[in-house]
Structures are given as C-alpha cells and as structure tokens.
Amino acid sequence: MLKFDVLIIGSGLAGMTLALHLAEHRKVALVTKRDLLEGSSTYAQGGIAAVLDTGDSVEAHIQDTLVAGAGLCNEETTRFIVEHSKEAIDWLIELGVPFTKDETHKTGYHLTREGGHSHRRIIHAADATGAAVTSTLGQKIKAHPNITLLEDHIAIDLITSKKLGQPGNRCFGAYVLDKQADEVVTVAAGHTILASGGAGKVYLYTTNPDTATGDGIAMGWRAGCRVSNMEFIQFHPTCLYHPHTKSFLITEAVRGEGGILRLPDGTRFMPAHDARAELAPRDVVARAIDFEMKRHGLDCVYLDISYKPASFIQEHFPNIYAHCLELGIDITKEPIPVVPAVHFTCGGLVTDLSGHTDVDGLYAVGEVACTGLHGANRLASNSLLECMVIGRAAASEILHTQPVELPTIPSWDDSRVTDPDEEVVISHNWDELRRAMWDYVGIVRTNKRLERALNRIKLLSEEINEYYSNFHVSNDLIELRNLVQTAELIVRSALLRKESRGLHYSRDYPDMLAEARDTTLSPGA
C-alpha cells in the first residue's frame, strides 16, 4: 500500500495546479493514465480568458459568461473565478509560460477575442496555449521532491468509509491499476482530488484525447456524489474534417480573427442564423452548422480565413497552418473543411468554490466538476481559468485542515475473477455505446431518440457490469464501465429537461422556460 497526504487523479491543468500548490507542505501522488502531458489541457489551442486590459472589466467578463450560459450560470461562482483571473495568469507568467507578446499593447501581451466575448481578453501562446502551459508546469512537477508521479496508472474506484463498512462517507484514496505491471495498487490518502477531465469519448466524434472517458464523474457518482447539468455537452463547431486526421481542433480564435463560415459554393451562412454571425457562442454556431449540413446533405462546411495576409495567418496560427499543409490544405489560399465534434462536458460532480464534493475528503476540480461557472454553455477559454482558480482554492482549503488518520484498508481482491475469454465484448460495446450517443443524444434531440439511447445504455450497462464482476480489470474495461455510467447520467439528465436551453436543444420542447433550473441527480434517488 502507498500512503500520501494527498492523491490527485488526473494530470491536466487542474491536477498540476493542485500538485504545485500543495507540494511545498504535503506529500502528493499524481496519478495519470498515460504520460504526464497526455490530456485535454495539453490540446487546448485558444488560450485563457482573463481581465488584463484596462479597457476591459470584471463586470464585462462576468456578463459575457452569464449570457453564454443561458441563465444557468451561478453568479457567485462566476464572480469568484473572474475576480481571480489576473492572479492566475500572473502565476503562470511567474512560472515561465511563454505567452505570445505584443510590445505595442500596454499589457505587453497579445490578447485575442473569441466567440461570445465582448473584449479581447484571451491570453495565449500562439495557437498551442495548452501545450505551452502544461509543458512548463510539467517540468516543475517532475523536479519536485514531494510529488510522486504515477504514469500509466488508471484509477479503478475510490475507497470510502461506506465501502469499508464504517460510519459516515469519507474518501481515503483509490484502488489504481498499474498498467505496466498489470497489478492493482492501493493508494491511501487523507485527501483525494478528482481532476480527471471530461467525457468526450462517450461520443463517436470528439476533439478530446482518448483519455477523456468520464472516469472521475463515474467514480464520484459511485462513491455517493451528486451530478448536475450533465445534459449540457458542448460541441465545438469547427473540428477539421479530413479522413487522415483524428480530433484536430480548429480554434475559436480563427473566427475571432475574422474567419468566415461558408457553404461549399462559397455562400456565407452565419448572419442568417444570428446577428453576431461567426462570433456567436459555440452552441449557436454548432447548431447552425448542423442545420446547414442536414439541409444540404453535406459532409462538412468551410471556415475561410484565406483573405487575410499569409504572414498574419502563419504568425497567429502556426500549428493549424502546418497541420493542414501536411494534409494538402493551404489555409492561406483555401478554406478549411470543418464539422462539429464533442468538445466539453459542462456538467459534472457538484462542488463548492473550494472543490468540495458531497463526500468528505473528496474534491473535484476542472472539467470533471460542476461549479456553476459554465451554466448551459461554456464561454470560450473559461475552462483553463476555472482549473487554476478552483485548484488554488482547493489547495488552500486542504493546507488549512488537520492531517487525517487513515483506517486499515484491505488490498484489492481479485481472487474470484478470471482472465477474460473474449476481448471482443469490450470493443463491440465501446463502439455501440459511442455510436448510439452520437446518433440519439447529439446537437438536436427528441424524447424518442433519448429513450432509444437509454434503452441501449441499460442493456450495455448490464453486460459490462457482469463482465466487470467476472474478469480481471484492464484499462479498456475500466474506461468502458465509466463511459457507460457517464452516458446514462447524460441521457437521464437530458430527459428531465423539458425545454431548450444553451447546449440542450429539444425538438419536443423548442422554447426556453422562464425559470432556469439546474438538473441534479443523486445516487440512489
């Protein structure tokens, strides 16, 4: 058994922020499914929203967030996160993150604008902000003597007093599969933090990396945490459409810098859908693209920034330019083929402003959590900001609590299971689940589609749980078990919302109700 003061599950910006803030005073274990830098944070292109310019204001950023969130944002949460945005950026600059400079701007940095924002307030490192941030923080993590990095380890389930047959419900760590050794390790800790990201892989097409399988949401739910607003799945409007590339995102900033969405014949279509045209929030743009694709029977639409000078494009979007060029698309001369793809899980485990969940000693930070910031639709570039602000708040809270005495924790018992006879069960169910979610729980929904999805999910769930009970755990089995649980929570939440709001658009309930209410599910209810 491994013992630590704090166990952090997930190594994106939320997990890294926590580890670095805690490690001066606590012994920390950082568990990550692949290597340290494999996760959604690393793939974030656009940047981080923060009030840095004197022409901007905290009130304007709050207002933009509330408008995008379609009445469901928690105003207290939004204010707290936006008010702490500048100090979060200052911390990254202090650590050496190489944000793109602009000597002509009074901040000294280039600020871009994205859909839904009323000001230029996105600080970025060219078009690869996530990679710049995580590689800088990753070096600090690897060099820190108080941080034990467990790469190629995947958490199976949380260890709680309830599961140990003790009173109350407190978390004492997790059982974790060491994938290299193929053995389950008990990691005990007084405080456990889920920073495991979202659930994009529940769907067939997503901009998320393969690691985004809803693990933290599913583990938290099984441990006794409520979830909120799981129906709000954000589709990024512009994922590169090409047979030889997977999940390549075309950042919102391309539209922010003047990119125009066109049909194959060159017709611009966004002004017909919304007065803000290409700068409308993501839910509006994704629905417009979905509508045009279905209406014209298209495989994709086109994002055109080729009318800008080639030097401007190469300077602002060097990675997108290079990647498209490898595929034979010169974005300085021709438009980019794009389609919507699942991008962000706006709901998650219910937490307060310090990341507390309903289970004592268990915190959730980042995309796995639902703080109320994102409401019914996340505003572009608010997510990395949330990771840092709530991460710092959770670390502060933990540092002000007394050390926890750990109980006796039994080792993982796999004496009654065998090696699986057929791995095809996992791959088949994985494909069936993701296709059902894409076909029935997509950008436009109906009750009939949602009920079809739920019926399939229930059958898959029974089959997967029987498989889990009888066979040795593997990475794919753990992820599939979590995917099917998360999918069920998404569909159940969607069925409860009898209106269209933000990212949840129902043909059966096309209007928005006067009162905005969270959809909250409780385990056992």
Side-chain angles (χ1 to χ4, degrees):
M1 183 165 74
L2 303 174
K3 286 188 182 180
F4 296 91
D5 298 317
V6 183
L7 165 62
I8 301 170
I9 298 169
S11 67
L13 184 54
M16 287 185 175
T17 299
L18 279 148
L20 289 171
H21 280 93
L22 288 164
E24 290 306 307
H25 306 283
R26 297 284 188 273
K27 289 198 108 39
V28 176
L30 185 60
V31 166
T32 184
K33 292 206 283 192
R34 293 193 183 173
D35 63 68
L36 178 61
L37 300 183
E38 177 65 29
S40 292
S41 294
T42 298
Y43 292 95
Q45 291 178 353
I48 306 170
V51 179
L52 304 171
D53 186 358
T54 50
D56 195 5
S57 69
V58 165
E59 295 308 322
H61 189 173
I62 290 170
Q63 194 53 35
D64 291 345
T65 302
L66 298 181
V67 168
L72 259 194
C73 299
N74 179 309
E75 205 161 333
E76 182 196 357
T77 299
T78 306
R79 181 168 295 280
F80 177 79
I81 290 171
V82 172
E83 283 179 346
H84 289 84
S85 62
K86 187 177 185 305
E87 67 192 56
I89 299 300
D90 289 344
W91 178 67
L92 291 179
I93 291 170
E94 202 180 294
L95 290 177
V97 174
F99 290 117
T100 299
K101 290 192 162 59
D102 179 355
E103 301 309 334
T104 65
H105 196 278
K106 50 186 174 275
T107 61
Y109 292 96
H110 183 269
L111 302 178
T112 191
R113 185 179 168 195
E114 295 181 347
H117 287 276
S118 57
H119 290 76
R120 284 183 170 265
R121 66 166 69 99
I122 317 297
I123 190 167
H124 61 100
D127 58 350
T129 307
V133 171
T134 56
S135 62
T136 303
L137 270 58
Q139 288 166 10
K140 311 269 184 206
I141 298 262
K142 286 182 172 175
H144 206 294
N146 265 358
I147 300 173
T148 300
L149 180 59
L150 299 172
E151 293 180 304
D152 282 315
H153 284 62
I154 179 170
I156 304 168
D157 251 330
L158 299 168
I159 299 163
T160 60
S161 50
K162 207 177 207 173
K163 288 179 187 168
L164 297 174
Q166 296 176 0
N169 196 22
R170 183 177 182 91
C171 186
F172 295 112
Y175 291 113
V176 177
L177 176 67
D178 175 344
K179 296 198 285 185
Q180 300 292 343
D182 194 25
E183 63 183 31
V184 178
V185 183
T186 306
V187 184
H191 296 91
T192 302
I193 302 147
L194 295 167
S196 49
K201 294 299 282 188
V202 167
Y203 285 86
L204 193 58
Y205 301 112
T206 176
T207 63
N208 293 178
D210 291 343
T211 50
T213 50
D215 303 333
I217 295 168
M219 285 190 289
W221 172 261
R222 290 194 294 264
C225 298
R226 287 170 301 151
V227 296
S228 188
N229 295 341
M230 287 295 295
E231 68 271 34
F232 297 114
I233 300 294
Q234 187 172 69
F235 286 72
H236 196 289
T238 54
C239 189
L240 178 62
Y241 178 76
H242 193 279
H244 299 135
T245 195
K246 186 176 94 169
S247 311
F248 189 78
L249 182 72
I250 306 298
T251 173
E252 194 96 5
V254 173
R255 298 202 313 282
E257 294 294 345
I260 291 169
L261 284 162
R262 303 185 189 279
L263 296 174
D265 65 3
T267 306
R268 186 183 184 190
F269 60 85
M270 273 313 300
H273 291 268
D274 193 281
R276 292 163 292 186
E278 281 80 7
L279 288 175
R282 290 176 178 180
D283 59 322
V284 176
V285 180
R287 263 201 308 281
I289 294 173
D290 185 67
F291 175 85
E292 296 293 346
M293 284 172 61
K294 285 185 167 68
R295 185 165 75 140
H296 297 285
L298 305 173
D299 289 328
C300 65
V301 296
Y302 293 87
L303 179 59
D304 186 12
I305 197 159
S306 63
Y307 68 93
K308 291 269 189 182
S311 58
F312 174 89
I313 294 168
Q314 287 162 8
E315 181 193 346
H316 283 80
F317 308 111
N319 290 299
I320 294 171
Y321 172 73
H323 187 77
C324 289
L325 205 57
E326 281 175 15
L327 299 167
I329 303 163
D330 184 346
I331 69 171
T332 66
K333 295 175 182 168
E334 60 191 308
I336 309 165
V338 292
V339 289
V342 168
H343 187 55
F344 193 85
T345 311
C346 289
L349 302 173
V350 176
T351 73
D352 63 13
L353 294 179
S354 296
H356 281 125
T357 67
D358 297 322
V359 175
D360 292 339
L362 180 65
Y363 299 75
V365 181
E367 196 174 347
V368 67
C370 183
T371 61
L373 172 67
H374 305 306
N377 175 41
R378 175 180 75 102
L379 181 64
S381 293
N382 266 352
S383 49
L384 292 179
L385 178 63
E386 181 188 40
C387 289
M388 288 190 292
V389 174
I390 302 296
R392 292 179 79 176
S396 175
E397 177 85 16
I398 290 167
L399 290 172
H400 284 93
T401 58
Q402 293 299 312
V404 176
E405 198 174 319
L406 296 169
T408 304
I409 299 172
S411 296
W412 180 259
D413 180 12
D414 61 358
S415 58
R416 287 167 297 194
V417 296
T418 59
D419 289 327
D421 50 358
E422 286 190 318
E423 298 280 352
V424 71
V425 175
I426 295 177
S427 59
H428 176 86
N429 286 355
W430 180 282
D431 290 341
E432 189 177 334
L433 174 70
R434 295 177 67 212
R435 197 168 287 281
M437 289 297 287
W438 184 260
D439 289 343
Y440 300 135
V441 199
I443 295 173
V444 176
R445 299 164 179 176
T446 66
N447 277 354
K448 191 175 272 186
R449 287 178 190 171
L450 292 172
E451 280 157 8
R452 276 190 187 131
L454 193 59
N455 286 336
R456 278 164 174 71
I457 287 165
K458 282 179 175 167
L459 290 170
L460 287 169
S461 188
E462 285 171 21
E463 203 167 286
I464 292 159
N465 285 326
E466 184 193 354
Y467 196 93
Y468 177 80
S469 303
N470 290 318
F471 299 116
H472 284 296
V473 291
S474 65
N475 182 83
D476 289 353
L477 177 57
I478 294 163
E479 289 185 333
L480 180 59
R481 179 177 178 236
N482 293 332
L483 278 172
V484 78
Q485 177 61 77
T486 307
E488 184 194 325
L489 296 173
I490 292 168
V491 177
R492 280 176 56 193
S493 300
L495 280 165
L496 288 172
R497 188 162 291 279
K498 311 294 187 191
E499 63 166 348
S500 289
R501 183 183 295 273
L503 299 163
H504 176 77
Y505 184 80
S506 169
R507 278 207 190 136
D508 296 316
Y509 308 101
D511 299 323
M512 190 158 74
L513 297 176
E515 187 186 356
R517 287 189 176 181
D518 292 325
T519 306
T520 304
L521 302 178
S522 302

